[in-house]
Amino acid sequence: MADFGGDLEPFRAEARGWLEANFPASLRQGAAPADPEAPETPTADQALWRRRMGEKGWGVPTWPADLGGGGLSPAEARVLRDEMERIGAPNPIGGMGVAMFGPTLLEYGDEAQLRRHIPPIVKGELRWCQGFSEPGAGSDLASLQTRAEDKGDHFLVNGQKIWTSGAHLADWCFCLVRTDPKAKKHEGISFLLIDMKTPGVEPRPIRLINDTTPFCETFFTDVKVPKENLVGPLNGGWSIAKRLLQHERSSIGSPARAGQAGPGVLGGPPIQELARIYVGLGDDGRLADGDIRARLTSHLMDAKAHALTGERIALEARSNRGPTTASSIMKNAGSMLRKEKAELAVEIMGHQGVGWSGEDFTEHEINAMRVMLRSKSGTIAGGSQEVQNNIISKRILGLPDTTHST
């Protein structure tokens, strides 16, 4: 049945009261929230907010209460989200552990793995990274060659991963490895958890065009991994990986993420206000540049439609099973919206939007160019636009596979 929520007012009052009592006052004054993936040390109040939300379990509101989660219904989680937005409280619990690995482990992990790994994710105590792509296995991920040999009480892992987000900062890695090189490529893969402090693990940051290092190439040289770190059946990792990728695409394509590119999340004004500041208003009270006005209006309409679609998908869910193949649609639309918004922000700023450093540019102006450059990679992350289009055509539209040998 669809989740219509029932009488949610008692819970709304509870959530509002708890947030008023526990969200630090200093963060209500516009201080930026601590980024779960950033290396910077959080302020005292940012750390306090993360600890309080972690102890309450509301950073992951629908996760099981017996594992530290909030134990809320989807309807209650939406009320909590609304109340957090009302007070301006960001969710300080995030990262790949929340968006990708945790939900997957809740489906496929055994009891010992759940008890070991879920509580630290709930509290924001550990960082996770994703060991999927390899230099020779990107969109064709099943061609991966990182080997995990059975050595009795452990696996011995050797190989290389690429574009490993945050590997140099991570405590653990959820990794796809080949455990049966003789099997068909989709059937010889296993899902393994690797402690990044294990001898032989070497992440090397990659500097991007926007002068940041969010990604790494990661090398595994004779890395010993205990057998209990195998999630799911041996050689059954591909099914788990596909499920995890649905969670990843759902996160990339979420309405919240779609609004992240460009000023408005960098501490600067929303893009509408940005246009008023840099473009200016005409005598009629409208933006002086008609082309910018039309494109900004079109973008805002698309963003609103994307947000409403996300709400509809959530409301129409018949269970709490998580994302479906519809995540491919949302991923494609969301990543394009982020790219479009970032490009619009730079264009709205004019020459002030192309600064790289120096006193002639504000922090927001310098960040705008960096965000714009980074936003283009979103159409590749989590599976390229072309891969998502194939999924949409085959699994949603039911179109025939037209590939054939010549």
Side-chain angles (χ1 to χ4, degrees):
M1 296 294 291
D3 173 25
F4 294 107
D7 183 9
L8 296 170
E9 290 311 305
F11 176 74
R12 185 180 299 278
E14 175 192 345
R16 181 171 297 187
W18 188 89
L19 290 169
E20 291 285 355
N22 287 277
F23 182 47
S26 68
L27 302 186
R28 305 184 196 193
Q29 298 169 2
D35 182 349
E37 299 296 342
E40 291 82 7
T41 301
T43 66
D45 275 352
Q46 287 170 342
L48 174 64
W49 176 231
R50 179 179 296 181
R51 184 171 69 253
R52 286 175 174 173
M53 279 288 281
E55 291 171 350
K56 186 70 170 176
W58 280 0
V60 282
T62 60
W63 288 18
D66 65 333
L67 294 173
L72 304 182
S73 70
E76 290 172 327
R78 289 192 293 273
V79 169
L80 174 61
R81 179 202 61 194
D82 292 344
E83 289 302 310
M84 290 175 68
E85 290 179 353
R86 182 192 64 82
I87 200 174
N91 188 343
I93 308 295
M96 292 188 183
V98 169
M100 299 159 60
F101 173 65
T104 306
L105 191 69
L106 287 170
E107 292 186 55
Y108 293 95
D110 61 33
E111 187 66 19
Q113 290 168 343
L114 295 177
R115 296 292 171 187
R116 180 181 185 185
H117 296 295
I118 294 298
I121 294 174
V122 170
K123 295 181 180 179
E125 295 174 344
L126 295 177
R127 302 171 190 253
W128 284 82
C129 65
Q130 178 185 28
F132 277 26
S133 296
E134 297 182 3
S139 294
D140 184 17
L141 181 59
S143 294
L144 63 91
Q145 295 300 314
T146 295
R147 293 276 298 275
E149 300 178 73
D150 191 332
K151 295 296 183 179
D153 64 341
H154 68 275
F155 293 105
L156 193 67
V157 178
N158 283 278
Q160 179 187 354
K161 297 293 180 178
I162 193 72
W163 309 120
T164 320
S165 300
H168 57 312
L169 307 172
D171 302 290
W172 282 82
C173 175
F174 49 93
C175 192
L176 290 182
V177 294
R178 189 160 297 284
T179 43
D180 186 354
K182 296 181 180 180
K184 295 179 180 179
K185 66 179 185 179
H186 293 86
E187 298 174 1
I189 295 172
S190 295
F191 194 99
L192 204 59
L193 310 182
I194 301 177
D195 187 334
M196 293 295 283
K197 296 184 294 294
T198 308
V201 179
E202 181 187 2
R204 300 177 187 174
I206 301 170
R207 188 164 296 279
L208 303 183
I209 191 173
N210 67 349
D211 200 32
T212 62
T213 55
F215 300 114
C216 295
E217 50 182 349
T218 306
F219 297 88
F220 300 97
T221 305
D222 291 335
V223 178
K224 294 182 178 179
V225 180
K227 285 288 186 69
E228 63 261 27
N229 288 6
L230 175 69
V231 178
L234 185 70
N235 299 320
W238 187 248
S239 294
I240 301 174
K242 289 192 296 182
R243 185 59 171 154
L244 185 140
L245 287 170
Q246 285 186 333
H247 287 291
E248 180 179 16
R249 291 159 186 162
S250 179
S251 173
I252 293 173
S254 69
R257 285 286 298 274
Q260 284 183 359
V265 290
L266 300 174
I271 194 166
Q272 305 96 300
E273 183 61 25
L274 197 75
R276 295 188 186 99
I277 294 171
Y278 285 88
V279 176
L281 303 179
D283 294 337
D284 57 1
R286 301 191 300 173
L287 288 178
D289 187 313
D291 179 62
I292 291 290
R293 184 171 67 240
R295 288 163 55 204
L296 179 58
T297 301
S298 177
H299 168 76
L300 293 173
M301 290 171 63
D302 288 344
K304 183 63 174 179
H306 182 257
L308 291 173
T309 301
E311 289 288 335
R312 180 171 57 80
I313 289 173
L315 289 169
E316 290 179 352
R318 293 185 175 275
S319 69
N320 197 26
R321 295 174 299 174
T324 66
T325 49
S327 60
S328 291
I329 299 174
M330 295 299 286
K331 187 269 178 185
N332 270 6
S335 59
M336 291 301 293
L337 280 169
R338 284 198 303 280
K339 186 170 77 73
E340 181 182 79
K341 181 180 180 183
E343 291 171 348
L344 265 174
V346 170
E347 187 169 351
I348 285 169
M349 289 180 177
H351 60 81
Q352 290 300 117
V354 296
W356 197 253
S357 63
E359 296 180 355
D360 293 334
F361 302 96
T362 67
E363 179 183 357
H364 308 314
E365 291 167 346
I366 291 172
N367 281 339
M369 173 55 69
R370 285 168 164 76
V371 169
M372 189 273 284
L373 291 171
R374 175 67 188 276
S375 71
K376 298 181 183 300
S377 67
T379 60
I380 301 173
S384 68
Q385 300 285 98
E386 292 78 11
V387 167
Q388 305 316 312
N389 286 338
N390 282 338
I391 293 172
I392 293 166
S393 67
K394 294 177 184 178
R395 301 180 188 173
I396 297 178
L397 301 178
L399 299 178
D401 187 347
T402 58
T403 58
H404 62 277
S405 58
T406 58

